[in-house]
Amino acid sequence: MSQRVQGVIARSKGAPVELTTIVVPDPGPGEAVVAIQACGVCHTDLHYREGGINDDFPFLLGHEAAGVVESIGAGVTDVAPGDFVVLNWRAVCGVCRACKKGKPWYCFATHNATQKMTLEDGTELSPALGIGAFVEKTLVHAGQCTKVDPRARAAAVGLLGCGVMAGIGAAINTGGVTRGDSVAVIGCGGVGDGAVAGAALAGATTIIAIDTDDQKLEWARGFGATHTINARGVDVVEKVKELTGGFGADVVVEAVGRPETYEQAFYARDLAGTVVLVGVPTPDMKIELPLLEIFGRGGALKSSWYGDCLPSRDFPMLTELYLQGRLDLDAFVTEEIPLGGVEEAFNKMHSGGVLRSVVVFQAALA
């Protein structure tokens, strides 16, 4: 039988979100129903509400989540009812050309649930990033459920489902940061601070955090930044070179997604260095660079999808580092809010006063 639960939707472009009743069907073949314990409020959810992703309204928002598997459909073997999981939006297929090349983090045929969750009148919902987790229970493909140690706090490890993983992965998986490297991170929100934390984990000795907000720069220091640059009225490229012996950083992570900050990243790297674009640009943005500079500087210009992560590999490992006290995921959680607080959390994003607001469900507190 289907279940009726409370969830947050974006009904139309730019309209305030609504808390309403969601109908969740029983899981079909390959699917699972997950009781959500916590879900981070990510800028991507705001982009959905603003129509910046597509216009498949209404959206069931939320995707950065952890919870407990409640039920599974036919053929599901990797998870079972009672498993504590972090949800992911890159459930790999195992058979596409990327997977067959041994690069499943590039999977071109990722899975989502086949059935649709709906409103009570039967209107089908589009779940954000194929998840939709601002809801008491959600329906996903079982491959979107990654088991992690149940001792971990849901509000913290749920953030691995998107922004924090994107940042850590941009530094370690895409950028290949290793011991002794110099790293610059442009943009110190949740993703950028994830990149700072990832660089610290990998053994980088110089980690330069760059932003226009002093509070964000202070947060970045807490995650391992050795130097900070407030970019207002400052030549960022020259400052990075000054802090790296005049050469530029080995790896520059651009976590903003704007042409002007990407150009800064390009020129702030050392010869043969690497630029990683993990900030998401809008479709209208363009950049122009001298082709001779691209050739002459060598190195690599990369984009990072979800931190090039493989959830089955990365989520359990990072959860273990969290439990060992080596990765402070709790520090990303600025506030815990009820399900009805999502619209206010979106408003707080504009002021820059939060790193992450996290919806914590009452059932998880019981």
Side-chain angles (χ1 to χ4, degrees):
M1 293 179 59
S2 60
Q3 302 184 65
R4 283 165 169 73
V5 297
Q6 291 296 294
V8 172
I9 67 167
R11 192 179 294 272
S12 60
K13 182 177 179 178
V17 299
E18 300 176 30
L19 180 61
T20 190
T21 300
I22 309 298
V23 179
V24 182
D26 284 344
E31 296 174 341
V33 170
V34 177
I36 302 299
Q37 293 185 340
C39 183
V41 182
C42 177
H43 272 88
T44 302
D45 295 304
L46 182 57
H47 289 329
Y48 271 105
R49 194 199 72 172
E50 297 302 308
I53 307 295
N54 58 54
D55 59 357
D56 293 337
F57 291 94
F59 292 109
L60 176 58
L61 300 178
H63 60 278
E64 206 173 59
V68 174
V69 176
E70 180 183 86
S71 57
I72 58 175
V76 175
T77 58
D78 289 341
V79 293
D83 284 343
F84 179 60
V85 297
V86 175
L87 299 184
N88 73 79
W89 47 271
R90 297 283 292 170
V92 302
C93 72
V95 295
C96 72
R97 61 192 186 280
C99 290
K100 287 182 177 179
K101 289 177 181 177
K103 299 179 179 180
W105 48 89
Y106 292 141
C107 180
F108 301 129
T110 53
H111 294 306
N112 295 132
T114 301
Q115 298 182 89
K116 290 287 189 179
M117 291 176 279
T118 68
L119 299 176
E120 287 189 291
D121 64 4
T123 301
E124 292 188 346
L125 295 167
S126 300
L129 291 177
I131 293 176
F134 288 154
V135 65
E136 294 166 323
K137 297 177 184 180
T138 193
L139 176 76
V140 294
H141 190 281
Q144 294 179 271
C145 301
T146 305
K147 287 193 291 185
V148 299
D149 193 318
R151 294 176 298 158
R153 194 167 75 94
V157 295
L159 301 183
L160 295 174
C162 188
V164 174
M165 181 70 253
I168 292 174
I172 297 176
N173 297 335
T174 314
V177 175
T178 189
R179 57 191 180 276
D181 275 350
S182 58
V183 179
V185 178
I186 302 176
C188 296
V191 174
D193 280 345
V196 169
L201 279 173
T205 49
T206 300
I207 304 173
I208 305 165
I210 304 159
D211 205 286
T212 58
D213 187 317
D214 286 332
Q215 175 61 72
K216 290 183 177 180
L217 293 173
E218 187 61 31
W219 283 330
R221 281 197 178 275
F223 291 110
T226 58
H227 304 80
T228 60
I229 299 172
N230 188 314
R232 292 188 184 277
V234 170
D235 187 325
V236 169
V237 174
E238 289 305 312
K239 278 288 185 180
V240 171
K241 287 182 177 180
E242 180 184 315
L243 294 169
T244 54
F247 301 116
D250 296 309
V251 179
V252 183
V253 177
E254 202 280 85
V256 180
R258 294 192 58 83
E260 57 269 33
T261 45
Y262 187 85
E263 186 171 337
Q264 288 174 339
F266 178 81
Y267 286 108
R269 67 184 174 128
D270 196 0
L271 291 175
T274 299
V275 173
V276 177
L277 175 63
V278 66
V280 182
T282 58
D284 59 305
M285 291 179 178
K286 298 182 186 300
I287 190 164
E288 183 175 310
L289 291 169
L291 191 58
L292 182 60
E293 289 282 356
I294 295 173
F295 172 77
R297 287 174 175 267
L301 307 178
K302 297 183 174 183
S303 57
S304 184
W305 302 342
Y306 202 2
D308 289 340
C309 82
L310 185 60
S312 60
R313 174 196 66 195
D314 294 338
F315 288 7
M317 178 267 293
L318 293 172
T319 298
E320 183 61 29
L321 291 176
Y322 164 68
L323 290 170
Q324 292 174 4
R326 297 166 62 191
L327 175 61
D328 189 3
L329 295 176
D330 289 314
F332 285 93
V333 182
T334 308
E335 62 174 2
E336 297 183 4
I337 62 173
L339 185 57
V342 171
E343 184 67 26
E344 184 181 354
F346 283 156
N347 292 334
K348 289 178 180 178
M349 283 182 180
H350 296 298
S351 67
V354 295
L355 196 52
R356 267 297 186 273
S357 301
V358 179
V359 173
V360 176
F361 290 79
Q362 291 303 308
L365 299 175

